[in-house]
Amino acid sequence: MPRRTIALILAAGAGERIDSHVPKQFLKIAGRTLLEHTIDVFEKNGNIDEIIMVTNPEFRSITEEIIVKNKYKKVTKILNGGATRRESSAIGVGAIDDDSAKVLIHDAVRPFVSDRIIDECIGALDKYDAVDVAIPSPDTIITINNSNLIDNIPMRRYMMRGQTPQAFKVGVIKKAHALAAKEKNIDVTDDCSLILKYKLGGIFVVKGEEQNIKITYSEDLHLADKLFQLKSVNVPERIHLSGLKGKVVVVFGASRGIGKAIVDAAKQHEARVYGFSLENNIDVRSMDKVRVALEDVYKKEKQINHIAVTAGILRMGKLESRDVKDIADEIDINYLGSVNVVKASIDYLKKSKGSIVLFTSSSYTRGRSLYSVYSSTKAAIVNLVQGAAEELYDDGIRINAMNPERTATPMRFENFGKEPTETLLKPDQVAIATLKTLLSNLTGEVIDVKSGN
Ligand code: CTP
Ligand code: MG
C-alpha cells in the first residue's frame, strides 16, 4: 500500500494583525475567501489524498459551509483549533492515526502555494523525516535583545525566510508535539522548530517562492489581490496528445496563424477537426453564424469535445485618431466573438464534459499605448475565462486562456514588421500548448506559453 499523504490546513488563528470583522482566512480576494483559494490548491493536487482542517470553533460553521459549497472531496475532518498555532497543529497531527503517513502542515493564509512546492515536499519525505520550505532573505537579518539593541548580524547568505508547508512523517511530528506538550513555556511559531529543538532528525529545505506569501498585515491583502489578478500557470507538460484521437476539435479563426497551426496539429494526432473563419463565412461576431457552425459539426459527429477561439485582430493607433467603426470591429472580433463561442458551446460541452480555450496576450496585465483597445479586449478575455470557469465548473466544462509570448504570425508581422524569427514563438509550439491545455484538468487559468516550453 502506498503511504497516504495528508494536508493539514491551519485556519484557527484570530488574525489580530489585520483589523477586520472576521479572521483573515475568511476575507475574500478575487471573489473567494483566502481559505478557499488555499484548499483549492491541495484539492486539485494529484499527490494529496486527504485534507484535514483545523478551524476556529466560532467560525466552524463558515468553514463547513465553504467545504459543502465547493464540494471538496478530500476534506475528511474539521477540528477545533487551540490557542496557539502550535496547539492547533498538535490537534491536527493528533487526529491522524497512521504514523507512517506523510503530512504537510500549511497556513490557511498562504493561498499562493504551488504544486511544485507541494510535490517537492512530498518527494523529499521519501528521504527525510522533516521538510521545510524557505526562500533566501534579500534583507540583512539582525537579531536584537530586550533593550532593542542589536546583538548579532548573521551572515546573510545563510539566512532564509521560512514558509509553509512544512512536511513530516506523521510519527515524527507527533513525537515532537508530545514532547512539547510536557513543557510549560514553549514559544515556537512553526513545527520544524520542534524537530530541531528535540533533535528528531535532519530537516531538508525545499526551495520556496517569493509569491508564497503569508497574509499577515492589511497591505498583504492588496498585494494578494494583485497576485491573483496576474496569476498564470505553465503549460501542463505531462499531457499526451494521443488523448486527442477520435475527439472532435473545433477551431474558430482557423484560416491562418495560430488557429491554422492548431487545426494541423490536432489532425496530426488523429482528432476530427473542424476549422471556421471568414473564409468559410463564419464570422464570430455573429451569434447565429457561430451557432450554425457548431450545429453542423454536432450533426455530423454527435459530439464536440474541444473548442479553441483564436479569431482576433490587432489595430495599432492612437484612440484619438482611430475610426469608431474600426474600434467596434476590434472589440467585437476579439471580445464579443469569444463570448459568442463560449455561450453557443455550453450545451455541447456539458454533454462531452469538454473544454474550451480563448486567447489573451501578455498585454492583458497592463494596457499598452497605441493598442489600448487590443490590450483591453485581452484583459476582458481573462476576466471572461475566470468568471465563466466558475459558472461552468459544476457542468464539468473547463475554460482557460492561452497567453503566448510574441509569436511568428501574420498578425504580428503586419503590425510589428519583420522581427528576428528566433526571438518569436512558432505557431506550432503555441498549438501544442493549446491542445495540451484542452486535454488537461485546468480551468479558469491563464496559461503562459514561453519559448522555453
Ligand atoms: N493558526 C491556527 N491556530 C492558532 C493560531 C494560528 O491555526 N491558534 C493559523 C492561522 O490561522 C494561520 C497560520 O496559523 O493560517 C499562521 O499564523 P498567523 O499568520 O500568525 O495567523 P494568526 O495567528 O491568525 O494572525 P495573528 O498572529 O496576526 O493574530
Ligand atoms: Mg499568529
Side-chain angles (χ1 to χ4, degrees), residues 204-424:
F204 182 74
V205 181
V206 159
K207 211 165 107 201
E209 283 162 24
E210 275 294 339
Q211 70 162 23
N212 182 23
I213 58 168
K214 177 161 75 70
I215 310 298
T216 306
Y217 302 106
S218 16
E219 292 83 350
D220 299 327
L221 292 168
H222 301 295
L223 188 59
D225 195 41
K226 279 281 173 249
L227 286 172
F228 272 118
Q229 206 181 331
L230 303 181
K231 190 166 122 353
S232 57
V233 299
N234 291 328
V235 177
E237 277 310 322
R238 274 173 278 173
I239 304 279
H240 288 289
L241 292 181
S242 54
L244 284 170
K245 192 170 176 180
K247 293 282 154 53
V248 178
V249 175
V250 180
V251 181
F252 288 90
S255 61
R256 59 180 206 162
I258 293 169
K260 184 166 180 298
I262 296 173
V263 169
D264 294 343
K267 278 186 183 158
Q268 227 171 38
H269 291 91
E270 297 176 66
R272 305 185 58 82
V273 189
Y274 294 82
F276 297 104
S277 65
L278 289 178
E279 280 184 6
N280 48 16
N281 193 26
I282 298 298
D283 184 337
V284 287
R285 287 174 291 184
S286 155
M287 187 60 161
D288 288 342
K289 294 275 187 191
V290 170
R291 279 196 207 285
V292 167
L294 290 172
E295 258 166 41
D296 281 353
V297 174
Y298 190 76
K299 264 188 215 140
K300 283 191 204 121
E301 298 286 348
K302 307 286 175 280
Q303 62 170 347
I304 296 177
N305 304 96
H306 304 293
I307 298 174
V309 190
T310 61
I313 58 169
L314 190 167
R315 301 265 166 81
M316 308 254 302
K318 280 193 178 173
L319 266 187
E320 191 184 9
S321 50
R322 283 189 57 189
D323 175 60
V324 174
K325 167 81 174 59
D326 187 51
I327 292 174
D329 272 351
E330 191 173 13
I331 296 173
D332 287 353
I333 295 172
N334 291 2
Y335 181 55
L336 183 64
S338 285
V339 176
N340 284 342
V341 175
V342 173
K343 191 166 160 55
S345 307
I346 294 173
D347 278 345
Y348 303 109
L349 297 180
K350 262 187 198 170
K351 290 186 196 131
S352 63
K353 302 276 175 254
S355 64
I356 182 162
V357 292
L358 307 181
F359 273 75
T360 185
S361 111
S362 55
S363 64
Y364 86 89
T365 57
R366 187 174 172 87
R368 304 275 205 266
S369 80
L370 299 185
Y371 48 111
S372 57
V373 174
Y374 176 84
S375 50
S376 53
T377 61
K378 293 304 179 182
I381 290 291
V382 170
N383 275 27
L384 175 66
V385 160
Q386 291 164 338
E390 281 192 36
E391 288 182 22
L392 299 172
Y393 187 81
D394 286 343
D395 295 319
I397 301 176
R398 288 153 287 116
I399 175 167
N400 295 290
M402 303 308 295
N403 178 27
E405 275 182 348
R406 300 174 307 136
T407 309
T409 60
M411 187 178 91
R412 177 125 204 129
F413 295 140
E414 283 155 19
N415 287 287
F416 298 94
K418 277 275 172 219
E419 296 165 296
T421 39
E422 58 291 357
T423 69
L424 301 177

Side-chain angles (χ1 to χ4, degrees), residues 9-18 23-25 35 54-56 81-89 106-110 164 189 214-217:
I9 300 182
L10 302 182
E16 280 168 0
R17 284 170 285 181
I18 287 183
K24 57 197 179 182
Q25 55 272 31
L35 184 59
V54 182
T55 175
N56 192 318
T84 62
R85 186 189 187 282
R86 178 181 62 80
E87 286 169 51
S88 295
S89 176
H106 188 65
D107 296 331
V109 291
R110 283 189 200 269
T164 72
T189 51
K214 177 161 75 70
I215 310 298
T216 306
Y217 302 106

